[in-house]
């Protein structure tokens, strides 16, 4: 049920028109008009559902992740120059904290690959109108 004739359903993030007849044939092997409302609603829910790993850019999860990344940046800006300038090179606790930060920054690059693109910007309005 996760795969249709047009390719993998879970790989499609972009806005696109829904071909109702084609969806009905893919999922129920019947014409759209021949389906009852309950089946039509189930097909639409299944088609419009985002994959579990697609991150909404303005969700609380994304905001918390951004706060964590800001705290990591503050740690790097404050602690790393002090460490480089005044502390001897050794594999102490700061070394392992820095490796953890490196891992979080690497994970951040992966997280952004699975964040939905959104044209909506809360509080800013329509950016095309503002820039015109």
């Amino acid at each position: 049920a996760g795969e249709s004739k047009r390719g993998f359903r879970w790989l499609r993030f972009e806005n696109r028109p829904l071909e109702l007849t084609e969806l009905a044939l893919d999922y129920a092997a019947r014409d759209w008009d021949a389906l009852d409302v309950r089946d039509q609603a189930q097909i639409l829910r299944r088609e419009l559902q985002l994959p579990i790993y697609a991150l909404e850019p303005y969700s609380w999860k994304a905001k918390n992740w951004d706060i964590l990344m800001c705290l990591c940046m503050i740690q790097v800006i404050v602690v790393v120059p002090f460490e480089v300038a005044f502390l001897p090179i050794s594999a102490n606790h700061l070394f392992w904290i820095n490796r953890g930060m490196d891992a979080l920054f690497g994970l951040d690059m992966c997280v952004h690959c699975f964040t939905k693109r959104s044209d909506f910007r809360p509080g800013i309005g329509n950016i095309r109108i503002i820039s015109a």
Side-chain angles (χ1 to χ4, degrees):
E3 187 177 340
S4 68
K5 293 177 184 173
R6 295 180 314 272
F8 288 101
R9 178 174 58 90
W10 51 269
L11 288 177
R12 296 191 309 252
F13 290 127
E14 74 279 353
N15 293 334
R16 68 199 183 315
L18 294 176
E19 301 293 335
L20 299 178
T21 304
E22 200 172 307
L23 287 175
L25 291 173
D26 283 351
Y27 289 107
R30 290 189 291 173
D31 191 49
W32 180 260
D33 296 327
L35 298 172
D36 62 354
V37 175
R38 192 174 345 170
D39 292 335
Q40 289 176 348
Q42 183 180 7
I43 289 171
L44 288 175
R45 267 190 228 104
R46 190 180 309 147
E47 187 67 21
L48 295 175
Q49 182 178 4
L50 284 173
I52 190 86
Y53 57 81
L55 184 62
E56 291 282 342
Y58 299 107
S59 69
W60 65 271
K61 292 178 185 178
K63 289 177 184 177
N64 287 342
W65 181 257
D66 289 341
I67 289 170
L68 175 65
M69 288 294 100
C70 286
L71 293 174
C72 289
M73 285 300 298
I74 291 170
Q75 192 271 345
V76 167
I77 291 168
V78 173
V79 174
V80 170
F82 174 80
E83 179 185 10
V84 169
F86 299 112
L87 298 178
I89 298 173
S90 65
N92 56 10
H93 64 282
L94 283 177
F95 173 81
W96 293 109
I97 290 173
N98 288 336
R99 297 300 70 78
M101 297 292 162
D102 293 342
L104 284 173
F105 289 130
L107 185 60
D108 185 50
M109 289 188 279
C110 296
V111 165
H112 283 285
C113 290
F114 295 105
T115 302
K116 281 180 43 183
R117 183 183 155 267
S118 177
D119 291 334
F120 172 70
R121 297 177 184 197
I124 294 178
N126 190 342
I127 200 73
R128 288 184 207 111
I129 292 173
I130 294 171
S131 63

